[in-house]
Amino acid sequence: MKRKVTKAIFPVAGMGTRFLPATKSVPKEIMTLVDRPLIQYAIDEAREAGIKEFIFVTSRGKGALEDYFDVSPQLEQSLRKKGKMDLLAQLKATNMDSGAIAYIRQHDALGLGHAVWCARRLVANEPFAVILPDDVIAAEKPCLQQMVEAYEETGGCMVAAMEVPQEKASAYGLLDVKEDMGSIVSVKDMVEKPEPEDAPSNLAVIGRYILTPQIMRNLNRKKEGAGGEIQLTDAIAEELKAGRDVFGLRFRGQRFDCGSKAGFLQATVAFGLARPELREELSEYLEELLHMKKVAQ
Ligand code: UTP
């Protein structure tokens, strides 16, 4: 019988070097899209998919992340006194149940696979989700929920998949497809950041996974992969070698790579335009800007 997925790992121990100097003191996951930190989008997506236990793999300098999840009685009281009930409701929606969050340290940034492995004791013998908060996905039905529904049909391991431009494919983990069933594909092999000539496809793995506990045992071997890092992709590929199923889900939604500056800026504009209270002012400004650019040309 397939077990329900109720635990999610959020690997947030990376150094975020692409956002230096900001990430010298602000964890990347606390950076804000409109008015919510990246991590809040990830948590909301996980909650909607039925996740009850949230495991953060952190590192030195990520204290702001832990503080963010503290309840703030003083702030709540002050908003209540001032009758700012809308803001109070928004604030309370970010509160987490006591005991629902756990923090584990990754002492050395040895790679995503290693970060996930650090949470092995908390995951124990259950399937679990992994969410990378810097992949923000705007979707009618949250991406992880789409994956949980697909996983309930297929079992095995499931990764979020998306076609990426050929010239960018080598920056991703890529799927070699065995059978294409439309939105779900069954996977023959997967390879992390291959040389362009070795890319099996341009179907890339995006930062959402549902994994079996066997993945933790595969990660026990701590094999180094692409870039000298312990890669999660390699641990999943081992499942294929052992004859077990791995699937990809072409999710419905728009993914923003908020780990890169261009992706983060695009997400800021898209999420801003999606807000009724900002849409008009922002779109007028963008139109003006584009007009000025045209005139200058
Ligand atoms: P990235 O490849 O984006 O690395 O990691 P990074 O350190 O966050 O950012 P840059 O490239 O230096 O700008 C993808 C995800 O894996 C986590 C990161 O926190 C991020 O969520 N990660 C990566 C770890 O938790 N530990 C690691 O050792 C490596």
Side-chain angles (χ1 to χ4, degrees):
M1 200 186 78
K2 288 190 271 308
R3 295 191 58 172
K4 261 186 115 56
V5 185
T6 60
K7 295 180 177 178
I9 301 176
F10 300 82
V12 291
M15 287 183 276
T17 53
R18 282 171 288 173
F19 280 97
L20 282 170
T23 41
K24 212 164 78 167
S25 67
V26 183
K28 180 168 68 172
E29 302 72 25
I30 289 292
M31 293 195 330
T32 307
L33 277 185
V34 188
D35 51 13
R36 293 144 60 83
L38 291 184
I39 196 66
Q40 188 66 53
Y41 290 90
I43 290 279
D44 289 348
E45 185 180 331
R47 274 175 162 168
E48 288 187 56
I51 298 298
K52 304 276 184 257
E53 289 180 52
F54 304 80
I55 304 163
F56 290 88
V57 182
T58 69
S59 58
R60 188 183 296 272
K62 299 274 177 169
L65 201 62
E66 296 189 25
D67 292 345
Y68 177 77
F69 288 111
D70 264 349
V71 179
S72 40
Q74 263 180 333
L75 189 54
E76 287 183 13
Q77 205 183 357
S78 150
L79 291 173
R80 198 171 295 114
K81 251 196 194 153
K82 291 181 185 150
K84 296 190 171 172
M85 302 320 265
D86 279 4
L87 278 179
L88 181 64
Q90 278 179 39
L91 190 66
K92 288 186 109 174
T94 64
N95 288 351
M96 304 290 283
D97 291 342
S98 294
I101 301 192
Y103 301 96
I104 292 272
R105 278 277 171 118
Q106 184 192 25
H107 294 113
D108 242 336
L110 298 179
L112 176 60
H114 180 259
V116 168
W117 176 81
C118 289
R120 65 200 176 283
R121 293 206 173 84
L122 291 173
V123 159
N125 205 25
E126 286 184 40
F128 57 98
V130 175
I131 297 190
L132 305 190
D134 38 7
D135 273 336
V136 176
I137 301 173
E140 221 162 273
K141 184 186 281 187
C143 179
L144 191 66
Q145 196 181 337
Q146 295 176 39
M147 291 176 72
V148 165
E149 287 171 12
Y151 163 81
E152 279 166 3
E153 278 176 40
T154 61
C157 287
M158 163 106 21
V159 300
M162 180 182 112
E163 255 97 25
V164 295
Q166 203 74 49
E167 67 279 8
K168 294 198 173 148
S170 287
Y172 292 86
L174 298 175
L175 299 182
D176 191 354
V177 173
K178 181 160 72 183
E179 193 185 348
D180 198 329
M181 298 167 278
S183 56
I184 299 178
V185 300
S186 80
V187 176
K188 183 160 65 183
D189 197 6
M190 52 201 291
V191 41
E192 185 65 33
K193 298 187 182 68
E195 294 298 325
E197 60 276 19
D198 298 329
S201 71
N202 65 335
L203 191 57
V205 178
I206 300 305
R208 302 286 183 277
Y209 309 76
I210 295 177
L211 302 174
T212 59
Q214 179 62 38
I215 294 299
M216 291 296 189
R217 295 191 273 275
N218 297 352
L219 286 168
N220 272 337
R221 290 192 271 281
K222 300 210 190 96
K223 250 176 39 199
E224 278 182 17
E229 295 193 346
I230 299 170
Q231 297 287 357
L232 186 57
T233 306
D234 294 343
I236 303 172
E238 277 186 42
E239 288 299 276
L240 293 161
K241 287 191 192 85
R244 289 184 282 267
D245 289 333
V246 175
F247 299 92
L249 177 73
R250 289 195 182 93
F251 57 93
R252 291 175 305 282
Q254 193 181 0
R255 172 256 187 179
F256 296 93
D257 174 11
C258 290
S260 79
K261 286 175 209 168
F264 193 91
L265 290 171
Q266 287 159 16
T268 301
V269 173
F271 280 75
L273 289 173
R275 289 289 186 88
E277 74 277 20
L278 296 174
R279 186 175 302 142
E280 202 179 313
E281 201 176 332
L282 184 56
S283 56
E284 268 174 25
Y285 171 70
L286 290 172
E287 275 165 29
E288 219 174 278
L289 210 61
L290 289 175
H291 178 72
M292 273 161 42
K293 193 177 155 203
K294 265 194 204 142
V295 171
Q297 280 168 353

